[in-house]
Amino acid sequence: MVEMSLVLGVLIGLVLGLTGAGGSILAVPALMLGLGWTLPQAAPVALIAVFAAAAFGTIAAWDVAYVRYRAALLMAASGIAVAPLGLFAARALPLVTLSLLFTAVLVVVAVRMVWQARRKPDETRIVRATVHGDGEPAKGPICKLNARGRILWTRPCTLVIATIGAVAGFFSGLLGVGSGFVIVPGLRNATALSMHSAVATSLMAIAMTSAGTVAVTLLSGTPMPWLTALPFAAGALTGMLAGRGLAERIAGPALQQIFAGLMVVSAAALLHRTLSG
């Protein structure tokens, strides 16, 4: 099992290197299908890889001042506060229901990625592993920006950003995912942040929320399979560093659609395992 977890970690790490924290959604199905785990068993181990990828991306994006750290801190605080509710729901729901829910999330995210690749191809080059370039601001109706590109904080703006973080934290606890698929669209629709800044800000929020969710999981008494988790994390880090070097050269609509296809295949395999098991 140690060897298999290492191999799975390298494979997931390659995806993380190419797509950044967004690729972490495949970590849970990889552990479930590769090791025969249930979703609650796979979730905390997957979140370790999520944290590593998001933290790495945050550091890279910080140098170009895309991270809106106040928004990230607010989202992380509300996310960590709500994550225990997601953990409670994960334990309360039948395993079949939980797996079917994850399958549905995979399909929804895959469809959205294909839509983005076809309708907004330029945004597909802004992968979470390498956030570079000059992004155009969005037209979010709630959170406006000042002349320096920083958020103008109002009560509605604070509430909506905290809500985005809370929803992301719930999914983190429930499914063991980073929830960039919640944060990035949420920031783009509610704020005037560019895609670059929305992605970079989401990375910081994801890193802190993932670490907090793992901590809450351990404090609740859930054992961590360290003999599997550590090789998986080491493999993911190795693969991520290797994949990161390719990201800037091949990022774009084609890569995003291939990634969406991998999610659909994973969803189909997970659905088959769930219904036949």
Side-chain angles (χ1 to χ4, degrees):
M1 183 173 288
V2 173
E3 292 80 4
M4 178 58 74
S5 65
L6 181 62
V7 171
L8 290 173
V10 171
L11 293 176
I12 291 300
L14 286 171
V15 175
L16 290 171
L18 293 171
T19 65
S24 63
I25 197 170
L26 291 179
V28 169
L31 290 167
M32 292 177 67
L33 297 170
L35 301 180
W37 284 0
T38 63
L39 197 151
Q41 288 175 313
V45 176
L47 282 174
I48 294 176
V50 175
F51 165 75
F56 196 88
T58 300
I59 295 170
W62 198 277
D63 291 340
V64 286
Y66 284 136
V67 181
R68 302 275 73 86
Y69 68 89
R70 290 185 182 89
L73 288 170
L74 176 58
M75 287 189 290
S78 59
I80 293 171
V82 174
L85 295 179
L87 290 169
F88 176 81
R91 292 166 182 161
L93 289 173
L95 291 178
V96 171
T97 302
L98 202 58
S99 295
L100 290 176
L101 179 59
F102 195 100
T103 300
V105 169
L106 281 171
V107 173
V108 169
V109 175
V111 169
R112 182 182 177 278
M113 292 186 75
V114 172
W115 177 87
Q116 184 187 38
R118 295 182 177 180
R119 296 291 298 273
K120 300 179 179 181
D122 289 341
E123 291 188 355
T124 64
R125 295 179 175 85
I126 310 168
V127 297
R128 289 169 171 79
T130 51
V131 185
H132 297 297
D134 295 321
E136 293 295 325
K139 297 180 180 179
I142 301 175
C143 298
K144 304 301 182 181
L145 306 181
N146 63 19
R148 299 174 61 189
R150 301 187 182 279
I151 295 173
L152 294 171
W153 289 96
T154 62
R155 184 173 298 177
C157 179
T158 301
L159 179 60
V160 74
I161 289 180
T163 301
I164 292 170
V167 174
F170 180 80
F171 275 105
S172 182
L174 180 68
L175 302 176
V177 295
S179 300
F181 60 87
V182 171
I183 297 176
V184 174
L187 289 176
R188 289 287 284 168
N189 288 318
T191 78
L193 292 175
S194 69
M195 184 65 173
H196 298 72
S197 190
V199 168
T201 302
S202 77
L203 286 171
M204 182 176 175
I206 288 168
M208 292 187 294
T209 302
S210 300
T213 303
V214 171
V216 170
T217 302
L218 294 176
L219 290 173
S220 68
T222 301
M224 175 69 75
W226 292 111
L227 291 179
T228 304
L230 292 178
F232 181 78
L237 181 59
T238 302
M240 184 172 64
L241 293 174
R244 181 177 166 80
L246 300 173
E248 292 187 27
R249 284 176 284 181
I250 66 176
L255 176 63
Q256 183 146 317
Q257 290 184 81
I258 291 172
F259 180 49
L262 285 175
M263 285 196 288
V264 172
V265 171
S266 298
L270 191 58
L271 180 64
H272 178 269
R273 177 180 182 267
T274 301
L275 297 179
S276 63

